[in-house]
Amino acid sequence: MSSNGNVYAALTASKLFTGATWPSPSPWPILSRFSEVQSSRLKFALPLPNVLKNHFKLADGPPSSAVGSPDEIKELFPNLFGQSSVMLLPGRDSSEDNKSLRIGVVLSGGQAPGGHTVISGIFDYLQERAKGSKMYGFKGGPAGIMKFKYVELTSDVINLYRNQGGFDMICSGRDKIETPEQLKQAADTVQKLDLDGLVVIGGDDSNTNACILAEYFRGQNLKTRVIGCPKTIDGDLKCKEVPISFGFDTATKIFSELIGNVMVDARSTGKYYHFVRLMGRAASHITLECALQTHPNVTIIGEEVAAQNFTLKNVTGYITDIICKRAELGYNYGVVLIPEGLIDFIPEVQQLISELNEILAHDAVDKEGVWKKKLRSQSCQLFELLPQDIQDQLLLERDPHGNVQVSKIETEKMLIQMIETELEKRRKDGLYNNNFIGRPHFFGYEGRCGLPSKFDSDYCYALGYGAAALLQFGKTGLISSVGNLGAPVEKWTVGGTALTSLMDVERRQGQFKPVIKKAMVELEGAPFKKLASMRDEWALNNRYVSPGPIQFVGPTSNIRNQTLTLELGAQA
Amino acid sequence: MSSNGNVYAALTASKLFTGATWPSPSPWPILSRFSEVQSSRLKFALPLPNVLKNHFKLADGPPSSAVGSPDEIKELFPNLFGQSSVMLLPGRDSSEDNKSLRIGVVLSGGQAPGGHTVISGIFDYLQERAKGSKMYGFKGGPAGIMKFKYVELTSDVINLYRNQGGFDMICSGRDKIETPEQLKQAADTVQKLDLDGLVVIGGDDSNTNACILAEYFRGQNLKTRVIGCPKTIDGDLKCKEVPISFGFDTATKIFSELIGNVMVDARSTGKYYHFVRLMGRAASHITLECALQTHPNVTIIGEEVAAQNFTLKNVTGYITDIICKRAELGYNYGVVLIPEGLIDFIPEVQQLISELNEILAHDAVDKEGVWKKKLRSQSCQLFELLPQDIQDQLLLERDPHGNVQVSKIETEKMLIQMIETELEKRRKDGLYNNNFIGRPHFFGYEGRCGLPSKFDSDYCYALGYGAAALLQFGKTGLISSVGNLGAPVEKWTVGGTALTSLMDVERRQGQFKPVIKKAMVELEGAPFKKLASMRDEWALNNRYVSPGPIQFVGPTSNIRNQTLTLELGAQA
């Protein structure tokens, strides 16, 4: 702030405006400063699985089907359906002829730590095993493909992003390539760049889109192959062949670091209940993993809430019961974890929202509340249960289509208010006689772009290196698959899984749409069972664990997330 | 959640309630689980400055005075005023006779990483140099002294907390020992425990209180000496002899890790403005330090706002100007840092609050707004400028004394709303034509209890070890002082500074109160000048730096905070 207060004039007059600037979203040449930790990661050489260190050949598995509706999937993907998944094995193959390739890469959807490492894995493969290759990055996600916006990825660029967090090398976007016109645009782009292959780094929707592109390109007899890579901090893209999506490990470690700190604070202060909402709208894997790492007093898992048909009152009552019980034990503090998508999992809330949308579309909301008579009795009761400001928010803040914006509700604050009300009631009934102070937190953006953990770094490097290998073998419509993750990196397996084999169809507006179903928290799976077996003890006795900050060197750098560890353990 | 929904009954019936439980705030025996990083820190041996490794003697400095009002300070502290600060030097002293000691320790005020390490420093001194000593921890802060609540600190306890974050070994509290009755209670306690010394670990107020205790005990001819240790993440307790308070280094690194992550996310996504409010109500050191570590687009420093007599409109305008300028450059994203205490620094807001308190104490607030006529014109304009929900909050949510609760205002959200309004106005004037999405964050509790950084660990260990040495030399009324921090640990100096020399008086309700003045951000100091010289460039060009998570081993573990580095550099 300049001292005369006229900052704007000062800025405008400054020399800053004469230099060349880079239009968003391509700020990559601007990254000119690194912290010491960033610098140390830049230079860190990543290990490869043994199979990628020498000559390898491809082994085909049996023909594949689809997880559901194979007939419809076959109709949607006539060129790809049924193809085998493949595995890289030591040996020599005539396809591996070291010819140079032209490869494009795109980041799709929300950020996840490790995206740059996938890209450097692809790049290093091309440098080492397909000399003379060219690599292009599409800017701003799939829109970059459609709009022919790209940048050549040379070592000058790649070396600025090795082991760094974020997607800022080429940025990302949420567009999809779906309509015939959009598919045509994509085909034009890959032809103009004469691409042998395209790697799509994304979540469930983006990998579905990758498969659609692979099918389309093959149907058009284009030489461009398409390989997907499993990315999402949410952890909801996984299956037997793809045991985990990258980014989940790092993001949950960052969130758990913060939760652990807040826990120690709660115990030290003795007077706060920290309510931590965690990113992850569709599935509660992040919340579950953070609970397994930190042992909070309360963990709400959306999938359980839905399966048990819990009401909002049930959830509030459950937390309030534990608060009262802890007060009896002398603990007026605690930590509660809530998934971002909690409200979406509560059936009665969905019902209320849909009734509200209907009513608000046609009627005015009178101050006297006559409009409420249009709500079904259960919905009306639920509405009355909500704190005043949440009621206001539901009625007043609507999206451009006039719909209630449920995603804007700060669930952690809502629960704090509802619990305050419930505790006040119990106080009057002589059932509670203590102080409750809730402190809300939302952790999400803090974890999507952290420096990748050792696990995510190793995993992403193998995913990228493997994806490039699959392209050199001429494969398409596969998702890069790195397995045997319970073993040291050297023994990891590398291959590709037929994307069609992961698919089912959903009927949307009368049409069949192919989808890779999101992997939800399995209530019979090992991670949830572990939580279920421990949570009563964690509720009342304080078993807090503080995971601390991610370490990049030394023995503690090798820790892996609990979800993967428990799932692999259950399989073994 | 048990499947029948009746969790409360299930919990009550469980065996969990039959075991022994520990009343809050003494949960220390419950800490039974450590993460791998916690475990690795437990076993980590800390280095000592060379002077503490062998025999040492005390060297007295010249007689001291006070930073202000020496006559009043002399009157308030007749027994302590004028005493010399001391330095430990290599050599042998007859006072260092290895006699056993009985030492009490208390944690006072908010949590800061390193408190446990100070305690283990004291403990190790006693073990190594005063064999047969006993150590006691007062529970829940100064209240523990007054209420005779303590626990003996043996190696079994200490070894559970080595290098760990938090204050949960003995917990903390915000009480003060001030009235004659309270001082008498404290005297009774130290006599009952037959204490040779008491170490008070706290901030400016707590160290003032330590000095009052030291004076009182000496006046009563008690043998108990009192030594203070400088603690606060806020960084506002410092002077020449005490270059930094412990906890600041760790907390700012944790906040900067998160800010760095959010910055990379902003650049990758290209569509969010993250508004980060940072703990630190009285001074803006934390915000300044985080800015120096991460290079945000906007940094608001409360001390500058106050010095320049900025209005809320100035601040909003400054940020909005930068947003508009960035939009012209193609950047519709950014990161803005705001100190928690911003509102307290804006003179016109203070004026409005005091007028509101006056009006609300006497009049009803009518819906038509006639009451507003009682506001002075400038205050009325400011009130109208505030977003609706902030207006409501000011009018409705008052503390038990009926006062407006300014501390409850989420400044980052308020600024986002005011900037939205301002941008809408500029849009209508054709001066802005882009999308602005603000995302609020508040980082505070996440940083107070993290695992201490290497710097804080080394510093705290020396502070504690040195404090015990001062007690063995029979010193009282000093604050443990570790200096020469620009050099490696081995060359650090160790001594004690007369607490009275740091004091001034404040007139409160007609009485003189001794205070250690909070160290505010100096607008002529090297850290602020660095920010001032860089911020225009950071505003428009993106110079984001992502410090990453604190590393405990390897070369990147030795990074020190910028504020200390720049201040030491300016002194050199």
Side-chain angles (χ1 to χ4, degrees), chain B residues 314-326:
Chain B
N314 289 148
V315 174
T316 311
Y318 171 66
I319 305 173
T320 312
D321 287 347
I322 290 175
I323 291 169
C324 290
K325 218 33 152 149
R326 289 178 59 80

Side-chain angles (χ1 to χ4, degrees), chain B residues 252-265:
Chain B
T252 54
K253 281 174 180 161
I254 293 171
F255 299 145
S256 296
E257 174 196 358
L258 301 180
I259 294 164
N261 288 354
V262 158
M263 280 173 162
V264 178
D265 201 80

Side-chain angles (χ1 to χ4, degrees), chain A residues 100-336:
Chain A
S100 68
L101 295 170
R102 297 172 65 86
I103 302 289
V105 61
V106 66
L107 294 163
S108 183
Q111 280 69 243
H116 292 145
T117 312
V118 176
I119 295 176
S120 59
I122 302 169
F123 183 82
D124 287 355
Y125 179 94
L126 297 178
Q127 293 287 302
E128 290 158 19
R129 297 181 176 246
K131 295 202 198 308
S133 292
K134 291 268 191 194
M135 188 168 168
Y136 303 94
F138 290 103
K139 284 156 66 174
I145 301 177
M146 295 187 279
K147 295 178 183 166
F148 200 55
K149 287 197 171 176
Y150 68 93
V151 60
E152 186 177 343
L153 298 178
T154 61
S155 59
D156 288 350
V157 179
I158 297 289
N159 290 341
L160 281 176
Y161 290 91
R162 285 190 186 272
N163 300 312
Q164 304 298 305
F167 278 8
D168 43 333
M169 183 200 287
I170 51 175
C171 295
S172 180
R174 295 187 181 272
D175 301 273
K176 279 180 201 163
I177 303 171
E178 288 181 314
T179 66
E181 191 186 20
Q182 290 169 330
L183 288 165
K184 176 76 168 53
Q185 288 170 339
D188 287 350
T189 291
V190 300
Q191 283 177 291
K192 270 194 263 182
L193 284 175
D194 192 27
L195 293 189
D196 298 292
L198 173 67
V199 180
V200 176
I201 302 168
D204 51 337
D205 278 354
S206 306
N207 274 286
T208 302
N209 209 204
C211 195
I212 290 170
L213 278 180
E215 174 70 26
Y216 181 79
F217 292 163
R218 178 157 287 182
Q220 300 288 313
N221 282 319
L222 303 186
K223 69 168 180 177
T224 315
R225 269 76 174 182
V226 185
I227 299 292
C229 279
K231 171 234 71 171
T232 168
I233 64 163
D234 294 348
D236 56 7
L237 168 57
K238 63 179 167 187
C239 59
K240 197 170 130 274
E241 299 84 356
V242 181
I244 190 169
S245 58
F246 77 77
F248 177 77
D249 187 78
T250 307
T252 54
K253 281 174 181 162
I254 294 172
F255 300 147
S256 295
E257 174 196 357
L258 301 180
I259 294 165
N261 288 354
V262 159
M263 280 173 162
V264 178
D265 201 81
R267 181 162 54 197
S268 299
T269 317
K271 63 182 180 186
Y272 296 126
Y273 267 92
H274 292 278
F275 281 65
V276 180
R277 179 167 50 116
L278 290 159
M279 206 171 247
R281 184 157 290 281
S284 301
H285 296 289
I286 289 178
T287 301
L288 176 56
E289 171 63 26
C290 291
L292 293 171
Q293 286 191 35
T294 63
H295 308 182
N297 303 108
V298 178
T299 309
I300 307 292
I301 299 298
E303 287 85 343
E304 183 185 27
V305 167
Q308 302 282 0
N309 210 4
F310 280 133
T311 62
L312 193 51
K313 206 178 157 110
N314 291 146
V315 175
T316 311
Y318 171 67
I319 304 173
T320 311
D321 287 346
I322 289 175
I323 291 169
C324 289
K325 219 40 166 135
R326 288 178 59 79
E328 286 175 26
L329 297 172
Y331 305 134
N332 284 298
Y333 62 88
V335 175
V336 177

Side-chain angles (χ1 to χ4, degrees), chain B residues 250-498:
Chain B
T250 307
T252 54
K253 281 174 180 161
I254 293 171
F255 299 145
S256 296
E257 174 196 358
L258 301 180
I259 294 164
N261 288 354
V262 158
M263 280 173 162
V264 178
D265 201 80
R267 182 162 54 198
S268 298
T269 316
K271 63 182 179 186
Y272 295 126
Y273 267 92
H274 292 277
F275 281 66
V276 180
R277 178 167 51 115
L278 290 159
M279 206 172 247
R281 183 155 290 280
S284 300
H285 296 288
I286 289 178
T287 301
L288 176 55
E289 172 63 29
C290 291
L292 293 170
Q293 286 191 34
T294 63
H295 308 180
N297 303 108
V298 178
T299 308
I300 307 292
I301 299 298
E303 287 85 342
E304 184 186 27
V305 168
Q308 302 283 358
N309 209 4
F310 280 132
T311 62
L312 193 51
K313 207 179 156 112
N314 289 148
V315 174
T316 311
Y318 171 66
I319 305 173
T320 312
D321 287 347
I322 290 175
I323 291 169
C324 290
K325 218 33 152 149
R326 289 178 59 80
E328 285 175 27
L329 298 171
Y331 305 134
N332 285 298
Y333 61 89
V335 176
V336 177
L337 303 191
I338 309 153
E340 186 185 16
L342 173 60
I343 284 188
D344 301 320
F345 283 106
I346 301 177
E348 59 162 3
V349 176
Q350 291 316 303
Q351 176 64 30
L352 169 65
I353 301 297
S354 87
E355 288 178 39
L356 280 177
N357 282 336
E358 185 66 23
I359 293 169
L360 294 170
H362 300 102
D363 303 294
V365 170
D366 57 296
K367 277 191 183 164
E368 290 69 34
V370 179
W371 69 272
K372 285 184 206 162
K373 290 188 182 150
K374 301 210 176 78
L375 289 172
R376 291 188 347 182
S377 141
Q378 198 203 16
S379 294
C380 190
Q381 277 175 30
L382 172 60
F383 188 80
E384 298 289 357
L385 188 71
L386 297 173
Q388 183 66 47
D389 54 345
I390 302 290
Q391 290 184 4
D392 292 346
Q393 206 178 340
L394 287 176
L395 297 179
L396 299 175
E397 292 183 23
R398 284 181 268 161
D399 72 13
H401 307 287
N403 288 325
V404 164
Q405 287 188 281
V406 66
S407 68
K408 277 202 149 185
I409 293 176
E410 293 173 298
T411 321
E412 71 284 15
K413 290 191 182 170
M414 184 183 77
L415 283 174
I416 289 172
Q417 289 179 306
M418 293 179 70
I419 288 163
E420 280 169 354
T421 306
E422 176 64 22
L423 285 172
E424 212 37 58
K425 212 158 70 188
R426 295 192 190 187
R427 187 191 303 280
K428 283 182 187 146
D429 294 344
L431 297 170
Y432 178 74
N433 184 28
N434 274 285
N435 289 321
F436 168 78
I437 308 175
R439 284 276 177 266
H441 304 262
F442 172 49
F443 299 145
Y445 300 105
E446 294 80 0
R448 305 196 311 180
C449 287
L451 288 158
S453 65
K454 176 94 171 59
F455 172 79
D456 267 331
S457 299
D458 295 349
Y459 184 52
C460 286
Y461 197 59
L463 283 174
Y465 207 92
L470 295 174
L471 286 172
Q472 197 169 38
F473 281 113
K475 290 291 166 185
T476 193
L478 304 180
I479 185 168
S480 181
S481 307
V482 174
N484 198 28
L485 298 178
V489 179
E490 290 67 30
K491 297 187 175 174
W492 285 358
T493 60
V494 181
T497 304

Side-chain angles (χ1 to χ4, degrees), chain B residues 232-244:
Chain B
T232 169
I233 64 164
D234 293 350
D236 55 8
L237 169 57
K238 63 179 166 185
C239 59
K240 197 170 130 276
E241 297 84 357
V242 181
I244 190 169

Side-chain angles (χ1 to χ4, degrees), chain B residues 55 132 150 260 316 424 488 505:
Chain B
H55 292 291
Y150 68 93
T316 311
E424 212 37 58
V505 290

